Amino acid sequence: MTIFQFVASSFAFFMMYVVSIHFKKRNLSAAETSFWVTTWTVFVVMALFPNLLLGVVDVLRFGRVFDLLVVIAFMVVSSMVFINYFSHKELSAKLERYVRAQAFAELATTTKRKPRRKPAPAVGTRKRVTRKRR
Amino acid sequence: MAHRSQFTAARRDRLTAASVWVVVPAYNEATYLSRVLKKITAVTKHVIVVDDGSRDKTATIARRFTDQVLVHAVNLGKGAAMKTGCDWAFTQLGAKAVVLLDGDDQHDPRLLPEFVQLLGGKARLVCGVRVLSQMPLLRRVGNETASILIWLLFGQYIKDIPSGYKALTKKAYQQLRWQSSGYEVEMEIAARAARSRIPVSAVNIPTIYHDTNKGMTMLDVLKMISQVFSWRITI
């Protein structure tokens, strides 16, 4: 075993431990936990037995197994950045709409002004705002 | 009182006294807000303060001057606070126009009638323009760069884009309704105004800085620049 294989497999085992913690805290469901454990197990196998990938390397015409792994890693990282960017954007918009709806509802209650129409629609908050006004 | 009568007379044609609201976005402005609101209420009683999740007594101070105080539970940013105030004014208070004014006493509310007077004419968006030569050098450079960038990308030269003293009609707001929640909002308004060819006018306002440590940082400027290029495609 080379140092690189040792570091890579240690990292994968550490990540499995992190997954198990999140499973215990119920941040991850059983299905999600299985997915991540499988992913890191495959990572360990590939780190310890890179020759298993030689067939794929030949088919895709990569020079080395390492090149294939770099390309896969790059694809995974960029797709995760992309997903996180949109998820963050969506959450920010939802938070903004929710906070605005709350501010409107609070002022409508304190000034006892009957709002002319519903405040800006807030995803997932419409019911709550209506209930407060009553 | 003289200012108030001027304010009313300025909008005789299209905008009635009850139809113009002043929106003041404020975040941790306990030091200056009282002074600002005192000056505004000498001109008009139609004031909305949006407390953007302040940790100080901003909301308490604001309630002494107006009952229209909207409080964000968390800090969302200047753009979001401005949008909250405008949404409330146009949808709940029946406003036909709003004047946006910062809560840090950088803007003189005695100039409100001039803004409203221009809105009563052809202009749909009126921007307060400060004297560039009186600004700190770095801000002056950033200010000019913003105007040039908007001119290059959107074809209209708008002076003093970062100025928070602005007035806009309901129709203009419907066209300009921004997405930015932070300081980049001023740039987005300029970009949208240039893009939709909204008639823009300017009012010369004095250059006042009380606290140069507050407001936009270099990070905000960088974010703004990156956003401008994306707005060129998306707006």
Side-chain angles (χ1 to χ4, degrees):
Chain A
M1 186 191 282
T2 64
I3 294 174
F4 171 75
Q5 285 174 315
F6 175 74
V7 171
S9 45
S10 303
F11 175 71
F13 285 122
F14 173 73
M15 289 311 292
M16 277 191 230
Y17 168 69
V18 173
V19 169
S20 72
I21 288 172
H22 282 287
F23 177 63
K24 279 178 194 165
K25 285 183 178 178
R26 300 184 182 211
N27 293 335
L28 291 173
S29 67
E32 285 169 318
T33 308
S34 316
F35 169 78
W36 284 112
V37 169
T38 311
T39 303
W40 290 115
T41 309
V42 169
F43 186 89
V44 173
V45 172
M46 285 196 302
L48 295 179
F49 309 103
N51 291 343
L52 290 173
L53 291 169
L54 281 176
V56 184
V57 167
D58 287 341
V59 171
L60 297 175
R61 308 207 177 231
F62 279 101
R64 297 171 299 172
V65 173
F66 182 75
D67 296 345
L68 172 70
L69 292 177
V70 166
V71 169
I72 291 171
F74 188 75
M75 283 163 69
V76 169
V77 169
S78 40
S79 60
M80 283 176 86
V81 167
F82 188 73
I83 290 164
N84 280 337
Y85 170 74
F86 283 104
S87 158
H88 172 259
K89 207 175 164 182
E90 199 181 320
L91 274 174
S92 300
K94 279 182 188 173
L95 177 70
E96 190 181 319
R97 285 199 294 267
Y98 177 77
V99 170
R100 184 167 295 126
Q102 288 286 85
F104 282 8
E106 195 187 318
L107 183 56
T109 314
T110 51
T111 57
K112 289 175 185 162
R113 180 189 293 273
K114 198 179 176 186
R116 290 185 180 193
R117 70 170 179 81
K118 280 185 177 180
V123 177
T125 60
R126 195 177 281 252
K127 277 183 182 173
R128 185 177 292 187
V129 171
T130 313
R131 231 182 283 134
K132 275 201 170 183
R133 245 184 256 137
R134 280 174 194 166
Chain B
M1 285 302 280
H3 297 307
R4 195 175 299 166
S5 61
Q6 266 182 341
F7 188 69
T8 315
R11 290 155 282 117
R12 204 176 288 138
D13 304 338
R14 294 181 188 186
L15 307 168
T16 60
S19 66
V20 181
W21 284 80
V22 177
V23 174
V24 183
Y27 175 60
N28 291 339
E29 293 293 2
T31 319
Y32 298 108
L33 193 63
S34 169
R35 203 190 303 175
V36 173
L37 292 175
K38 214 174 276 175
K39 288 179 191 173
I40 296 173
T41 48
V43 182
T44 177
K45 295 288 176 196
H46 287 153
V47 194
I48 302 166
V49 177
V50 186
D51 173 18
D52 190 22
S54 300
R55 291 185 301 272
D56 61 8
K57 291 182 176 173
T58 296
T60 316
I61 293 167
R63 284 193 186 101
R64 283 187 214 144
F65 295 89
T66 176
D67 59 349
Q68 300 298 322
V69 181
L70 291 151
V71 181
H72 282 174
V74 289
N75 178 242
L76 294 176
K78 189 187 176 187
M82 283 163 61
K83 204 152 84 173
T84 300
C86 290
D87 279 357
W88 182 258
F90 289 126
T91 62
Q92 308 298 329
L93 304 174
K96 285 186 179 165
V98 296
V99 184
L100 295 153
L101 195 148
D102 289 350
D104 54 2
D105 200 28
Q106 284 197 13
H107 304 134
D108 187 354
R110 285 178 297 181
L111 295 167
L112 280 168
E114 287 189 37
F115 280 82
V116 178
Q117 198 164 27
L118 285 169
L119 281 187
K122 282 185 180 175
R124 295 286 167 267
L125 172 69
V126 182
C127 303
V129 176
R130 294 166 288 184
V131 185
L132 279 184
S133 57
Q134 291 172 8
M135 281 184 193
L137 182 68
L138 208 63
R139 286 177 189 253
R140 205 160 94 192
V141 171
N143 203 307
E144 279 290 0
T145 311
S147 297
I148 291 168
L149 213 55
I150 290 293
W151 172 65
L152 287 174
L153 294 172
F154 298 94
Q156 192 174 350
Y157 189 85
I158 299 172
K159 283 183 186 172
D160 197 8
I161 289 170
S163 166
Y165 205 171
K166 281 186 176 71
L168 63 157
T169 60
K170 186 177 182 178
K171 201 177 171 187
Y173 179 65
Q174 284 160 351
Q175 286 176 279
L176 297 174
R177 205 171 179 273
W178 46 90
Q179 299 299 314
S180 308
S181 56
Y183 280 113
E184 65 276 16
V185 63
E186 310 293 0
M187 198 77 166
E188 190 185 340
I189 291 175
R192 285 183 184 274
R195 194 66 157 172
S196 7
R197 302 278 166 210
I198 287 175
V200 183
S201 283
V203 170
N204 291 320
I205 59 169
T207 313
I208 305 165
Y209 283 108
H210 290 297
D211 192 352
T212 45
N213 291 326
K214 280 190 85 174
M216 249 184 262
T217 61
M218 207 57 203
L219 281 178
D220 295 314
V221 174
L222 291 173
K223 192 177 172 188
M224 203 185 280
I225 291 168
S226 68
Q227 291 272 17
V228 168
F229 289 99
S230 72
W231 292 328
R232 180 67 186 85
I233 302 160
T234 55
I235 292 176

